[in-house]
Amino acid sequence: MDICKVQENTSKCSMNMTECFMVLSTGAQKISIATLCGLLGTLCIFENSLVLYLIFSSPRTRRKPSYLFISSLALADILASIIFVCSFVNFHVFNKTDFSKKIFLLQLGGVTTSFSASLSSLLLTALDRYISISQPSKYKLLMTRKRAWTALGVLWVTCATTASLPLLGWNCCTLYSTCSELFPFVDDSYLSSWICSIVVLLGCIVCAYTHVLWRAHQHVAYMEKNQAQAGKQNTRMRMDVTLAKTLVMVLSVLVLCWSPVLILMIYSIFARLSNHLRKVFAFCSTLCLLNSVVNPMIYALRSKELSSSLRMFVSGFRRKLKTSEESPGAESTHRSSVIET
């Protein structure tokens, strides 16, 4: 790192300086990162692809705005896992520097877009659950499929536009400003703005779920007092309460997985990071993939509609396997009977 310290004031935007951000120095560290990224990335793609299939293969689930938001979350996690794993492993494990500044910022923009869209999808889901519980009689009028698709369109366009700002010129090379110590070519002011937007999103989600839990508590108390009279309305409330608890679990996992990364990002803005902290940041970054892996597991365990669709899918797959295994025997039996005849 001595060469990096000498060059940091004169050539921070040269491609040679990207080697200063490759903090994994031993083979064991590189193997660990490659193994984590490979396993978590594969699981993330498989699980979220299964969630998308279960949602859109059922006419009942694909028409509901709640599951449209969940499908947006699954899609964002798939894109995040693909782009993050490929770029992260190529950079930190294989130490590839044969790319331009624009290519690196484009890859970073893809990761930022997908992770921002994942968090924003959770915000839309939280608002959807809040409206469903606070105003159940007006929910279908307020939350239509057209409005859900419009919200998702605005979400993805906003995330993509924000993530492309460094590529469009908001970087330390173009502005000759202070560069980030965690990401090459990234301006500290842009990183600060992105962190602020993430913190605001998390704050809005926490506020929404605080109201959701409060209303869910009221619904539980109401159901306990009016079990004999509730009937269909109680069933609806139980579904809202269950889904609200599910999404609170998703939020809890999100905060636990993202807190170390955000804390280190904030610290890097106000203080100089040591090599040890940079290595810690590299390993903590894989927690973002862990969050994307855990989300589908929570859906499968907590959502009755998705879990029932999953059971039907597994049972159908088993029947196909049994049929394919039994078909050769059945065909040979048929041939022998023809010969005997």
Side-chain angles (χ1 to χ4, degrees), residues 129-159:
R129 285 302 89 202
Y130 173 73
I131 296 174
S132 175
I133 290 183
S134 62
Q135 300 183 19
S137 60
K138 300 180 180 179
Y139 173 76
K140 291 185 177 180
L141 296 176
L142 295 175
M143 189 58 66
T144 61
R145 294 182 71 248
K146 183 178 180 180
R147 291 181 178 179
W149 281 112
T150 302
L152 290 176
V154 172
L155 180 155
W156 281 93
V157 170
T158 302
C159 292

Side-chain angles (χ1 to χ4, degrees), residues 15 18 31 37 180 234 254 290 312:
M15 295 310 301
T18 57
I31 292 174
C37 289
S180 170
N234 270 343
L254 178 77
L290 179 62
M312 292 175 61

Side-chain angles (χ1 to χ4, degrees), residues 274-290:
S274 62
N275 265 350
H276 177 70
L277 286 179
R278 289 186 179 186
K279 292 178 182 179
V280 171
F281 178 79
F283 279 93
C284 288
S285 298
T286 59
L287 290 176
C288 303
L289 278 180
L290 179 62

